[in-house]
Amino acid sequence: MKSVSALQTARYAYQPKLPAVLRDNEPENVALEFGKPTTALADQAELASLFKHTYGKPEALFKKGANPAAGKKIRVGVILSGGQAPGGHNVIAGLYDGIKKGNKDSVVFGFTGGPSGLIDGEYVEITDSFMDEYRNTGGFDMIGSGRTKIETPEQYAASVATAKKLDLDAIVIIGGDDSNTNAALLAERFAELGEKTRVIGVPKTIDGDLKNEQIETSFGFDTACKTYSELIGNIGRDANSAKKYWHFIKLMGRSASHIALECALQTQPNVCLVSEEVEAQKMTLRRITDDICSVIAKRAANKENFGIVLIPEGLVEFIPEMKSLIAELNDTMAKHEAAFNALSDFAAKKAWLKSNLSAASYETFDSLPDAIAAQFLADRDPHGNVQVSRIETEKLLASMVEKRLAEMKKAGSYTGKFSAYTHFFGYEGRCAFPSNFDADYCYALGYTAFMLIASGVTGYLSSVRNLTAPAEKWTAGGIPLTMMMNMEQRHGSKKPVIRKALVELDGKPFKTFAAHRDEWAVKTSYLFPGAIQYYGPAEVCDLTTKTIKLERC
Amino acid sequence: MKSVSALQTARYAYQPKLPAVLRDNEPENVALEFGKPTTALADQAELASLFKHTYGKPEALFKKGANPAAGKKIRVGVILSGGQAPGGHNVIAGLYDGIKKGNKDSVVFGFTGGPSGLIDGEYVEITDSFMDEYRNTGGFDMIGSGRTKIETPEQYAASVATAKKLDLDAIVIIGGDDSNTNAALLAERFAELGEKTRVIGVPKTIDGDLKNEQIETSFGFDTACKTYSELIGNIGRDANSAKKYWHFIKLMGRSASHIALECALQTQPNVCLVSEEVEAQKMTLRRITDDICSVIAKRAANKENFGIVLIPEGLVEFIPEMKSLIAELNDTMAKHEAAFNALSDFAAKKAWLKSNLSAASYETFDSLPDAIAAQFLADRDPHGNVQVSRIETEKLLASMVEKRLAEMKKAGSYTGKFSAYTHFFGYEGRCAFPSNFDADYCYALGYTAFMLIASGVTGYLSSVRNLTAPAEKWTAGGIPLTMMMNMEQRHGSKKPVIRKALVELDGKPFKTFAAHRDEWAVKTSYLFPGAIQYYGPAEVCDLTTKTIKLERC
């Protein structure tokens, strides 16, 4: 049997594009041009004191210019951190190719299993043949990933020890907001100790919430959204062919609804919920249910007893009474852990909750279908908390809607037929072959990370911008990580963190959606984006996301 | 906003390929060459008497030759029947283009909403611009589909009346085994009445079970399996990156496991269940659970606490004790409908079942997790039967496996960690843009259907063969529908039906899988087929299914 698929074989041959400045000049002829010193998003004084050696550095952009150090032999370690995102392997490929172009005797190590690989000193040396197996492929299987945070003094000490043992000139951390916060802290720590190891971050996450004035998009968002939109489009076409089912589709994206919103713009469903709007408008579960039912009733009046509803994964945490319920459950179950765990079945637990939750929260709990309510109590995370990502919000809504429609039918305000299917798309998109956009963007981010190392900076994020133009017109440079930070409450104390980007309700992507949703609700307007194409017409293969196009054009 | 996606716009320009004999010759220069008379698969005498006018006709193949009637003006109606399958629109396109090539004044009607469109006389006339909106697209939304069977004398009379009213020379029925059985009966009916309307069938179904000596594959199977395999491959890559989840993935395909088997050959999962084998080996739920647990334990011993399990949709109907349970439930709930429906909740229903099911079936029912057991009682179909397609077999197995692993852990025979996610893929694949294979195959089937009409035959299936060769080397012809039939028990009486093709346990696809599965079980061997490509290298775009390749090469 074959060991790789036909597409994988073909993708090995793809040569990702670079910004012209990096493509057309040897590393020795590309140098950083520094702008003005920067400040943090907020809490500048606190951050300046926490990051004494790395705060306030200038933004920097690569231009043609002498960079004699770029040919030096260096030793670099790279880490994949957190959830998978398409293109991670291409970041490593760009970094590796840059480093080897700088000096063929330079060495690249991959820390295995995420940040714990740095702490525990577990790594592999990356060779040409090892690298070649992973070019333009999805997944993080090349060196694995993990969610360990470098937090304790012991973990910092172990990380420093590994860097010293391997004589590392730099560490590149490919991750989301938390991992890049970690990169900033680690950069500061090395600087403070006077160690030579520099730290560079790379913005990864399919969720699209690592984005700001300086970062146009995180990698993986493009491919993941296109994969989900392919499936939503296919289901929309099926719904419009069979004309008998409502499909409730939950989409990954816990803290922000960028994925759901982007997929809505790509597929034009009848309903798309946006957590940020639910929170801003304090929409209750009842209100959300009623809104969906109103769309269903309108469509039923047109004899269209089918439709598509998109639901962001984290929705329940943004519905006010559900948020309170979850907080109370976490609190109560933690406080009375032994007593709660001793209860044998759902009925006993429910009875117990009746006397241990506030009346309001118990009422909310009691209003849920049993099968869903049970999910709030089962599968708690290692801290004993409700595992929100295991709650089948798509089934919850389908079930609430079904119940409400039955009431409306009795009252004569609804005369259609309702039959629902539910879906959850997440794992399907995190490891797809990166789109040409993500393949190019990631390769450029990795190559830029090398150039930042070669330019001697630390505590910077690899930055590639002007992404709605063709790749050769992209710019490459670095952003001080502290520039994107503020102080936030985490586990009871104030911590420096990179601020997450939520969907802005006055931003163009949401406003575009909001301007069309009433029409899409009633009039079947589905788009069918189809499978991601890596070859063929440019207008198919080189599409960016609607989000970045609306935000940047 | 755009009304069609970039890929859809691009696909409009695709010109599907035809077998050389149809491509290189005008319809007037292509004629049927008839072979020897045929017989049925079994029950020849009964079928000969049921199909007095259409039984025993010869197989026929198109060759270069005079066919002066092909230029005649004709009127044809077309029906999409049953579940969606990628390529249905291209059958209509091939038929339409053939008919218009024969005579530009010929007329094509699309009956809307499936066979009921013929019965009720609901149709649209297909025009150039209407046709052009649907070329090379997925879905059946062009004219809709439906599951109505033409069965009663009134339905036959209404169908004949519609054909007469529209002065139809022919009706083309695009459907699965049942719909083509219906086509055969309708052809016989028209012949018996001396009506001119001829009936031609086209083999559709993503399930792949309309297949035999004469039909190499049904259309849609290729695209659907590639779409599911894309997703399975992505999830496999994710599992192998995160190294912490087992994914239990149910795949559409109720009566036969062709889809699961094909996806297994395309993706090399750790486990793939095949219903036909489960039935042949009388595998109990306990045995299946134990087999999966044994694989999980072996992988855990290698520190690989992750994996992929593929499950065919219809599995529960092939597990002996579950089959008995379902049959008893259907019987009991029908007999005591009122009493059963009066029971308010699951606990009451379960108690009632204890005294109304056999001890063996109640024991089976009682062994199921409550949430799954409840699915056997809810959502019954219009006949009051258990809706097998609504049973979350993937959750059932994940849950049984989790329970059994906990026992094994206690006993010391398992030391890993187990965390599962479940998925069901079905609706995602039925309306994908047809792969180049399905786009070409369907177009050729439609064009061939026209040529069969133009050649004056009835009760034939449009047949395109030699499908593992390039399209120009395909052959085109017709197969008498009765040739694929036998008599089977349906709803208490013997009926003529086209025999469904199940997975053959001594066929090459299954044997290839069986030869590798032990290795795939333990050693991570996932393949990542990626998204269907419509452009680019031929070795990526023109892949056939592994099933047809193994069966035909």
Side-chain angles (χ1 to χ4, degrees), chain A residues 183-376:
Chain A
L185 288 162
L186 201 60
E188 176 65 23
R189 181 78 185 133
F190 281 116
E192 186 186 356
L193 292 172
E195 294 293 339
K196 69 168 180 178
T197 312
R198 299 183 288 283
V199 183
I200 303 296
V202 177
K204 171 229 74 169
T205 171
I206 64 161
D207 291 357
D209 55 9
L210 177 49
K211 176 169 75 168
N212 49 43
E213 278 300 302
Q214 290 74 40
I215 305 174
E216 296 185 1
T217 189
S218 55
F219 78 76
F221 178 66
D222 184 85
T223 307
C225 288
K226 282 174 179 164
T227 301
Y228 305 143
S229 294
E230 170 198 357
L231 303 179
I232 298 163
N234 287 357
I235 291 174
R237 192 136 214 172
D238 203 82
N240 190 32
S241 299
K243 300 193 189 292
K244 57 183 176 182
Y245 298 123
W246 275 85
H247 294 268
F248 286 66
I249 303 173
K250 186 172 71 174
L251 295 165
M252 218 171 228
R254 175 81 176 273
S255 314
S257 301
H258 299 289
I259 290 178
L261 180 58
E262 171 65 25
C263 290
L265 292 168
Q266 286 194 31
T267 62
Q268 304 180 182
N270 305 101
V271 176
C272 173
L273 300 171
V274 173
S275 297
E276 288 84 346
E277 184 183 29
V278 166
E279 184 165 57
Q281 298 206 5
K282 299 190 176 53
M283 292 168 78
T284 60
L285 185 55
R286 172 60 192 256
R287 157 101 188 268
I288 294 169
T289 304
D290 283 350
D291 285 356
I292 298 173
C293 289
S294 152
V295 171
I296 292 174
K298 278 185 204 154
R299 289 178 62 78
N302 296 339
K303 298 205 191 319
E304 304 227 300
N305 288 301
F306 63 91
I308 303 287
V309 180
L310 303 186
I311 303 155
E313 182 187 7
L315 182 73
V316 288
E317 292 180 300
F318 295 81
I319 299 173
E321 76 273 23
M322 302 293 276
K323 192 177 175 178
S324 304
L325 169 63
I326 292 168
E328 273 194 49
L329 281 173
N330 286 343
D331 194 45
T332 308
M333 295 192 299
K335 251 191 228 154
H336 310 283
E337 200 184 339
F340 184 80
N341 289 341
L343 299 165
S344 59
D345 63 6
F346 178 72
K349 286 176 184 170
K350 193 166 169 179
W352 185 87
L353 288 172
K354 191 165 187 175
S355 45
N356 282 277
L357 290 179
S358 69
S361 279
Y362 182 76
E363 195 189 326
T364 303
F365 187 78
D366 190 40
S367 74
L368 303 173
D370 278 2
I372 303 293
Q375 293 172 356
F376 281 78

Side-chain angles (χ1 to χ4, degrees), chain A residues 408-524:
Chain A
M408 289 168 66
K409 199 163 228 173
K410 268 192 191 157
S413 56
Y414 167 68
T415 53
K417 281 184 188 178
F418 179 76
S419 180
Y421 274 93
T422 60
H423 313 259
F424 169 44
F425 297 137
Y427 297 93
E428 293 81 354
R430 308 197 310 177
C431 290
F433 285 91
S435 63
N436 290 349
F437 173 84
D438 272 328
D440 295 344
Y441 180 42
C442 288
Y443 190 81
L445 285 169
Y447 195 99
T448 300
F450 154 66
M451 288 302 306
L452 290 168
I453 296 164
S455 306
V457 298
T458 190
Y460 273 69
L461 184 86
S462 173
S463 164
V464 174
R465 290 156 80 170
N466 196 30
L467 296 169
T468 50
E472 61 170 2
K473 294 192 177 164
W474 292 353
T475 63
I479 308 288
L481 285 162
T482 52
M483 187 181 181
M484 304 176 291
M485 296 176 99
N486 61 6
M487 302 296 293
E488 292 179 19
Q489 205 68 26
R490 293 286 163 97
H491 305 296
S493 62
K494 271 192 128 183
K495 293 271 167 73
V497 298
I498 293 176
R499 193 188 279 171
K500 251 191 216 303
L502 303 182
V503 169
E504 288 175 13
L505 300 182
D506 57 356
K508 262 176 97 177
F510 182 80
K511 281 169 77 178
T512 303
F513 163 69
H516 291 87
R517 64 175 153 186
D518 290 345
E519 187 190 340
W520 298 347
V522 179
K523 188 175 162 239
T524 303

Side-chain angles (χ1 to χ4, degrees), chain B residues 448-470:
Chain B
T448 300
F450 154 66
M451 287 302 306
L452 290 168
I453 297 165
S455 305
V457 297
T458 189
Y460 273 69
L461 184 86
S462 173
S463 164
V464 174
R465 291 156 80 169
N466 197 30
L467 295 170
T468 51

Side-chain angles (χ1 to χ4, degrees), chain A residues 1-8 10 84 89 133-134 137-142 144-145 147 227 230-231 233-235 237-245 247 265-266 268 371 375 379 389-390 392 395 402 419-425 427-433 512 516 520 525-537 539-540 543 546, chain B residues 1-8 10 84 89 133-134 137-142 144-145 147 227 230-231 233-235 237-245 247 265-266 268 371 375 379 389-390 392 395 402 419-425 427-433 512 516 520 525-537 539-540 543 546:
Chain A
M1 304 297 285
K2 280 214 180 155
S3 64
V4 296
S5 74
L7 181 63
Q8 184 157 332
Q84 283 72 249
H89 291 156
E133 276 180 57
Y134 293 92
T137 61
F140 280 8
D141 40 324
M142 180 179 181
S145 184
R147 293 187 184 273
T227 301
E230 170 198 357
L231 303 179
N234 287 357
I235 291 174
R237 192 136 214 172
D238 203 82
N240 190 32
S241 299
K243 300 193 189 292
K244 57 183 176 182
Y245 298 123
H247 294 268
L265 292 168
Q266 286 194 31
Q268 304 180 182
Q375 293 172 356
D379 290 325
S389 65
R390 290 281 191 174
E392 294 176 302
K395 286 202 178 164
E402 186 172 27
S419 180
Y421 274 93
T422 60
H423 313 259
F424 169 44
F425 297 137
Y427 297 93
E428 293 81 354
R430 308 197 310 177
C431 290
F433 285 91
T512 303
H516 291 87
W520 298 347
S525 311
Y526 307 150
L527 291 180
F528 317 117
I532 295 180
Q533 296 301 298
Y534 303 94
Y535 308 94
E539 58 275 23
V540 176
L543 278 179
K546 308 258 179 189
Chain B
M1 305 297 287
K2 282 215 181 157
S3 65
V4 296
S5 74
L7 182 63
Q8 184 158 334
Q84 282 74 248
H89 291 157
E133 276 181 56
Y134 293 93
T137 62
F140 280 7
D141 40 325
M142 180 180 180
S145 184
R147 293 188 183 273
T227 301
E230 171 199 358
L231 303 179
N234 287 358
I235 292 175
R237 191 135 216 173
D238 203 83
N240 191 32
S241 299
K243 300 194 188 290
K244 58 183 175 184
Y245 298 123
H247 293 269
L265 292 168
Q266 285 193 33
Q268 305 181 179
Q375 293 172 356
D379 290 326
S389 66
R390 290 280 191 175
E392 294 177 302
K395 285 200 179 165
E402 187 172 26
S419 181
Y421 275 93
T422 59
H423 313 260
F424 169 44
F425 296 137
Y427 297 94
E428 293 80 354
R430 307 198 310 177
C431 289
F433 284 91
T512 303
H516 291 87
W520 297 348
S525 311
Y526 307 150
L527 290 181
F528 317 118
I532 296 180
Q533 296 301 298
Y534 303 94
Y535 308 94
E539 58 275 24
V540 176
L543 279 177
K546 307 256 179 191

Side-chain angles (χ1 to χ4, degrees), chain B residues 34-278:
Chain B
F34 290 98
K36 284 183 207 155
T38 60
T39 59
L41 276 184
D43 313 305
Q44 290 83 358
E46 266 173 286
L47 286 161
S49 88
L50 282 169
F51 292 89
K52 288 201 173 63
H53 306 80
T54 52
Y55 183 85
K57 302 283 181 204
E59 277 194 68
L61 209 59
F62 285 108
K63 300 274 178 186
K64 214 175 156 166
N67 185 355
K72 259 184 62 185
K73 185 174 145 188
I74 53 175
R75 297 167 65 84
V76 176
V78 60
I79 297 170
L80 289 166
S81 179
Q84 282 74 248
H89 291 157
N90 266 31
V91 176
I92 301 178
L95 175 71
Y96 181 85
D97 289 354
I99 287 174
K100 292 289 181 178
K101 198 170 183 183
N103 186 316
K104 68 175 171 40
D105 295 325
S106 288
V107 180
V108 185
F109 300 102
F111 288 107
T112 53
S116 66
L118 174 62
I119 298 170
D120 304 335
E122 295 190 346
Y123 60 87
V124 287
E125 187 181 331
I126 300 177
T127 60
D128 286 356
S129 61
F130 182 42
M131 187 69 248
D132 287 350
E133 276 181 56
Y134 293 93
R135 289 179 187 273
N136 308 305
T137 62
F140 280 7
D141 40 325
M142 180 180 180
I143 54 174
S145 184
R147 293 188 183 273
T148 305
K149 278 187 202 169
I150 302 170
E151 287 179 314
T152 64
E154 294 74 25
Q155 287 174 324
Y156 275 103
S159 300
V160 169
T162 301
K164 287 180 82 158
K165 189 180 135 210
L166 287 176
D167 189 24
L168 292 185
D169 296 284
I171 295 169
V172 175
I173 297 180
I174 303 168
D177 49 345
D178 279 350
S179 306
N180 276 292
T181 295
N182 228 208
L185 288 161
L186 201 60
E188 176 66 22
R189 182 76 186 134
F190 280 116
E192 186 186 356
L193 293 172
E195 293 295 338
K196 70 169 180 177
T197 311
R198 299 183 287 281
V199 183
I200 302 295
V202 176
K204 172 229 71 168
T205 170
I206 64 161
D207 291 357
D209 56 7
L210 177 50
K211 177 168 76 169
N212 50 41
E213 279 300 304
Q214 290 75 38
I215 306 175
E216 296 187 0
T217 189
S218 55
F219 80 76
F221 178 67
D222 184 85
T223 307
C225 288
K226 283 173 177 163
T227 301
Y228 305 142
S229 295
E230 171 199 358
L231 303 179
I232 298 163
N234 287 358
I235 292 175
R237 191 135 216 173
D238 203 83
N240 191 32
S241 299
K243 300 194 188 290
K244 58 183 175 184
Y245 298 123
W246 275 85
H247 293 269
F248 286 65
I249 304 173
K250 187 172 72 173
L251 295 165
M252 218 171 229
R254 175 81 178 273
S255 314
S257 300
H258 298 289
I259 289 178
L261 180 58
E262 171 65 25
C263 291
L265 292 168
Q266 285 193 33
T267 62
Q268 305 181 179
N270 304 103
V271 175
C272 174
L273 301 171
V274 173
S275 297
E276 290 83 347
E277 184 183 30
V278 167

